[in-house]
Amino acid sequence: MRIILAASTALFLAACSGATATPSASVVTGASGTTLASQAAAGDPAHPTVIELYQSQGCSSCPPADAVVNKLADRKDVIALSFAVTYWDDLGWKDSFGSPAFTARQWDYAHAAGRGQVATPQVIVNGRAAVLGSREGELNQAIARNANSSGPDIAVAGNQVTVGAGKGAATVWLVRYDPRTINVAINAGENGGRTIPHRNIVRQLTNIGQWQGKAQSFTLPAAPAGLQTAVLVQQGKGGAIIAARKI
């Protein structure tokens, strides 16, 4: 565990800890110990659930979570995104995909939920639930419980995305991610000597505007070659994701 002082307050950075802050689901097991949550039914592809994995190549507990989220990336009712954080970068290996913006986003979720720490590997489900990323059954339960059955529709025409009418106000995020399986050889740090497969690594995260509850259109910049796009409609910093779409 590392301790970081911010605004004269001790904030505990539980990097690669065995438990995330305030898990929101429990694993249900049968008599033989088999995880039943992994049998969770698929949700609605028209209202996909966003799962955000916060991980680092320098964290020895992260590869099992990478594997879980890599598998979930194939679900049509899920937008699986892998955010590489930077608070492991000075512990022997600098993450090749890390960005301070992604670390800041994880802290936004922690602050919004009243948590004084962030952890890897942590998954945030639709901006609402925090789950230890390697616990597949618990993650499936959180996906089922936090799925969006309503929220504004998102339509796309050319380089325009339109968020339909709804309630409240929200930030519209443009996410660009690499859908390939990228095998990264780690030469130092806790995972030194291992090769870790990554999928849906986020490469760009851009605020493209504010939605005010009425139907509103936003212009999408051209996507860099090889990257796919998702649009997230989120209720403020660290808030709930009320709508999302793959493009």
Side-chain angles (χ1 to χ4, degrees):
M1 177 179 292
R2 298 177 66 199
I3 297 175
I4 293 181
L5 297 179
S8 301
T9 301
L11 300 178
F12 293 89
L13 182 63
C16 217
S17 68
T20 61
T22 58
S24 61
S26 59
V27 176
V28 179
T29 58
S32 64
T34 301
T35 300
L36 302 181
S38 61
Q39 302 171 7
D44 179 7
H47 300 92
T49 299
V50 179
I51 60 172
E52 303 177 36
L53 171 63
Y54 290 89
Q55 53 77 31
S56 173
Q57 294 164 1
C59 166
S60 63
S61 296
C62 286
D66 291 326
V68 168
V69 174
N70 287 353
K71 181 165 61 173
L72 290 172
D74 290 323
R75 282 178 52 168
K76 300 299 183 183
D77 63 322
V78 164
I79 299 176
L81 301 171
S82 183
F83 288 88
V85 297
T86 55
Y87 46 81
W88 279 88
D89 284 0
D90 59 349
L91 297 178
W93 179 261
K94 184 175 181 179
D95 195 292
S96 55
F97 304 117
S99 169
F102 305 157
T103 302
R105 183 170 174 83
Q106 190 184 19
W107 272 113
D108 286 341
Y109 282 124
H111 292 152
R115 296 190 294 268
Q117 64 181 21
V118 292
T120 54
Q122 184 181 63
V123 174
I124 305 296
V125 181
N126 261 351
R128 300 185 181 103
V131 180
L132 186 63
S134 54
R135 295 179 180 171
E136 183 176 2
E138 184 176 339
L139 178 52
N140 275 316
Q141 287 189 332
I143 291 170
R145 283 204 303 269
N146 292 282
N148 282 323
S149 59
S150 59
D153 293 328
I154 300 175
V156 180
N159 69 339
Q160 296 289 307
V161 60
T162 299
V163 180
K167 295 181 179 180
T171 301
V172 182
W173 290 101
L174 174 66
V175 184
R176 293 286 169 52
Y177 62 95
D178 193 328
R180 300 173 299 165
T181 297
I182 303 173
N183 293 304
V184 179
I186 311 300
N187 298 321
E190 289 193 356
N191 288 316
R194 303 183 64 172
T195 296
I196 302 176
H198 296 283
R199 288 186 67 184
N200 289 16
I201 283 286
V202 176
R203 305 298 284 164
Q204 296 179 356
L205 177 66
T206 307
N207 179 340
I208 59 172
Q210 299 297 310
W211 173 77
Q212 301 296 335
K214 297 180 180 179
Q216 189 172 350
S217 296
F218 303 87
T219 300
L220 302 181
L227 298 187
Q228 291 189 347
T229 299
V231 171
L232 316 180
V233 182
Q234 184 169 25
Q235 293 178 323
K237 278 190 175 182
I241 294 173
I242 59 173
R245 177 166 174 171
K246 298 177 185 177
I247 297 175

